[in-house]
Structure formats: structure tokens, C-alpha cells
Amino acid sequence: MSLTRNVDLLRRLPKLDGLRFAESLRGAGQHSPLTEITGFGSNPGNLRMLAYVPAQLQQPRALVVVLHGCGQTAAGYDLGAGWSTLAKHYGFALLMPEQQLLNNANTCFNWFNPEDTTRDSGEASSIREAIAHMVTTHGIDARRIFVTGLSAGGGMTSVMLATYPEVFAAGAVIAGLPYGVASNLRQALDGMFHSPERPARELGDLVRKASDHRGPWPKISVWHGSADRTVNPGNADEIVKQWLDLHDLPLTPMAETVVDGYPRQAWWNADGETIVESFAITNMAHGTPLGVADNDHRYGIEGAFLIEAGISSSYHIAKFFGLTDWIRNAEPAKKPSAAAKPAPALTPAPHLARSIRTAVTEPQGKAKLKAKPSKKARRGLDLSAVITRALTAAGLIK
């Protein structure tokens, strides 16, 4: 495919699909709880900052940064992938930066532009400033910050993990690309459509050169549809290679399992903690896989680049981040006002069936306790009298 055709394809990406999806959900009564925050820093990348902090937060407090894909908004991707629902259910704060049309006509994060992918510069710096604002304002534990994203948001997730590795405990890339494989549009398109293979050491060095950090490195979860025609599935392998090299792990998986019908590969460290994992979503096109989670909840709604696949990537990513063990406390009971009179205490009503059984079987006095009723007496049981006694015992008649 020629460069001219690639550029034309990039220009014709469905820039409004995500916007229309968000509008359709609003029309159907679905609303994202995200609120916009301004003045969070110098914002050199000119991004919008949207966030959601539920009333109850698990301790220590955690933050998940979620980066939308091309043609999407933060609110649209939140509703589609179900992140605010997860945040409320499991008690963590949510930060969703949003790209602006002035920066990119398709609302893609500029994951390949050196001005936006260098530490303390452009969009990467804006996202870092937004994180710092959340940490200061909401008391987020600096050891519990995570990042994930789809497509261009996945590419920018790789950028954030590489340029600020000390900030994140873990990340998850969905249908994205490894860090540093493109620094201009031509290289970006080549990476998207062809995903040239590189040695693991070369890929790892791209990350090592992005900052002065020398470890420990964040954990990573990688997701990709095998039928993706927008971002070549080979990119998933390249991301895995990049982070295996950083963690000094072998290329051969330590475990290969099936989760919700899809193959998962995993690598762990000397302590047995899973450090790198990779999900191949068989026959799925470009997008975020949706489905019912392990707890029988459904997170997200189908839409543009949000695909029903029978597996909830958002839930499994939150689980990989270690966020799904928390159980929300029951809502505190409301105290009655001083003017309100206390309701009269109610005695629980007797169980009618149990009362009838008692009336039938209960002996009528100590003398009868030892004597067995005759066959004639059993046959001549006065059912009407039994029911009357039972209703009287239940307080239903006097």
C-alpha cells in the first residue's frame, strides 16, 4: 500500500463515530459521571482533563488513567468501556484526559509526535500534570497509579509507561503500539499496518533511553484482536518483547491458559507475581473487548470500537492492577431527625404454617405428653379447631 493511500486512509478514519456514540447514549438516558477540571497545570499538550472520584475509595487510594481512541471522547469511551462503573464498584479514582480537535482532527492522541512523546513535553507532560493534580487533591497513593488506553490511546499508554515509568505501577495497552517505533507519520503508518519486527533488546533500549529510570519497571497487560485491520496484531508481540526485555524475562511464556475462551500468556517474577500478560482475542477486529465479568457484572456498552467479545477487558485489566478485591461498605444509615417520632416497635408476625404444625403436633398439657393418641383420635382430628387455634396463635383472630 502506498504512502499516499495510507495518508488518505488516516484522514478518512471515522472521526465522529465515538462522538455519535456518546450522543446516542445521552439520548437514551446514559450519562458519564466525568467532570471537567481546569487549571491543573501549564498543560503544554492542550488536553482536557476529566475525572471521576466515587464517594467511597479503597485504601490506600488508587488512580486509573484511561486514554480513549481515535474518534472518541473521554465520556463516550468511559460509557462504552465501563470504567466509571468499575471505579464506583471497586472504589478507585478515574482520570480520563481528552484530546481536542485543534491538536488532532481525528481526536487521536499524538503517540508518534516527538513533541508529545518526550518526557516533560507536550501531551505526555499534560497527562503527567493531570495525574499530579489528582494525587494532591484526592490523596492518591503514589504507588497505586495505573494507565490504560485503546488504539492511539494505547500508543500513548506506551508513551506514558516509557517516559514516566516511576509514576506507574502497571499499565494495559489495547490494540496499541510499542514505544518509540515511530517519530513521524510515515513511520506511524508503517507500524500500524505492518508492525516490523525488531530485536527485543532494541525495543527495550527505546524505553531505557526515554528517561533516567533504571527500574523497577511497571507491569503490563497487552490486549489485541487477531482480526484487527487498523493496527496490525503483530504490535502486541512487539509490546510484549519490549517489556520482557526490560524485566529481563524470557520470550517463551511461563504459562499459557484460556480465559473466557481466549488464549492468555503470562510471565512472572521470582516472587511469583505476574509481570507481563498478553490476551489474543480471536477473530476480533479493532477495538476494546466487552463482556460479562467474573462477578457476573457487565461493564460497558457496545459502540464504535467497543466490541462484544464475551470477555470484559476493563474488568480483567482492573483485576491485573489489583483493584478488584475491595468490597464497598454498605451505605451508612440515615439518622432520624429530632422532630421525627420513633416508630413503634413491631413484634415479628408468627409463621402461619409453623403455627399450624405446632397446633397439630403440640401436646395439650403434661398429662398428654406421655400418652399416645389412639388411632381413633388421630382419625377424628378436628381440622377446623386446629386452624382456629393456629390463627389465634398467629394473632390473626381473637
Side-chain angles (χ1 to χ4, degrees), residues 14-237:
K15 65 179 69 175
L16 293 179
D17 281 355
L19 304 176
R20 289 172 181 163
F21 173 59
E23 290 295 333
S24 68
L25 289 175
R26 279 195 286 271
Q30 302 273 0
H31 297 278
S32 168
L34 294 175
T35 56
E36 184 168 7
I37 298 169
T38 58
F40 58 90
S42 61
N43 193 15
N46 191 32
L47 301 178
R48 295 180 67 201
M49 175 185 174
L50 294 97
Y52 169 62
V53 181
Q56 293 189 41
L57 291 172
Q58 57 176 277
Q59 298 293 335
R61 296 185 174 190
L63 172 68
V64 177
V65 183
V66 180
L67 304 172
H68 64 78
C70 296
Q72 295 176 325
T73 62
Y77 189 64
D78 170 38
L79 289 168
W83 274 104
S84 61
T85 305
L86 273 162
K88 182 177 181 181
H89 191 81
Y90 290 111
F92 57 83
L94 186 65
L95 166 63
M96 295 193 70
E98 183 177 280
Q99 183 60 283
Q100 302 203 72
L101 290 170
L102 289 174
N103 299 335
N104 187 291
N106 293 291
T107 66
C108 306
F109 288 101
N110 291 303
W111 60 271
F112 59 88
N113 183 357
E115 294 179 2
D116 294 301
T117 62
T118 302
R119 186 181 174 100
D120 300 331
S121 176
E123 293 174 13
S125 181
S126 290
I127 296 170
R128 178 67 185 94
E129 288 180 346
I131 292 170
H133 180 89
M134 293 293 291
V135 170
T136 301
T137 305
H138 300 288
I140 303 299
D141 189 318
R143 298 164 299 178
R144 304 195 76 204
I145 301 173
F146 310 92
V147 62
T148 182
L150 164 69
S151 192
M156 187 55 76
T157 295
S158 291
V159 169
M160 297 307 298
L161 291 171
T163 55
Y164 297 99
E166 78 283 2
V167 171
F168 301 101
V173 178
I174 307 172
L177 299 95
Y179 173 75
V181 297
S183 58
N184 56 52
L185 180 59
R186 180 187 62 78
Q187 292 174 351
L189 292 169
D190 189 42
M192 287 173 60
F193 293 112
H194 303 123
S195 183
E197 289 190 28
R198 294 173 173 83
R201 185 68 181 181
E202 178 183 327
L203 288 165
D205 284 343
L206 291 172
V207 175
R208 278 183 279 266
K209 292 175 182 177
S211 75
D212 294 331
H213 185 74
R214 289 297 174 264
W217 299 97
K219 304 190 305 179
I220 193 164
S221 178
V222 181
W223 295 69
H224 218 118
S226 67
D228 193 331
R229 298 294 178 265
T230 303
V231 177
N232 191 302
N235 282 288
D237 297 330

Side-chain angles (χ1 to χ4, degrees), residues 292-352:
V292 177
D294 290 351
N295 60 1
D296 295 328
H297 281 59
R298 175 173 290 278
Y299 299 101
I301 307 170
E302 284 187 90
F305 310 120
L306 296 149
I307 303 170
E308 173 57 46
I311 184 170
S312 175
S313 57
S314 300
Y315 170 80
H316 282 286
I317 289 169
K319 186 176 181 180
F320 179 74
F321 292 165
L323 300 174
T324 58
D325 293 332
W326 181 80
I327 300 174
R328 186 175 59 220
N329 296 326
E331 293 293 334
K334 293 183 179 179
K335 294 182 179 179
S337 63
K341 293 182 179 180
L346 298 177
T347 301
H351 193 290
L352 183 57

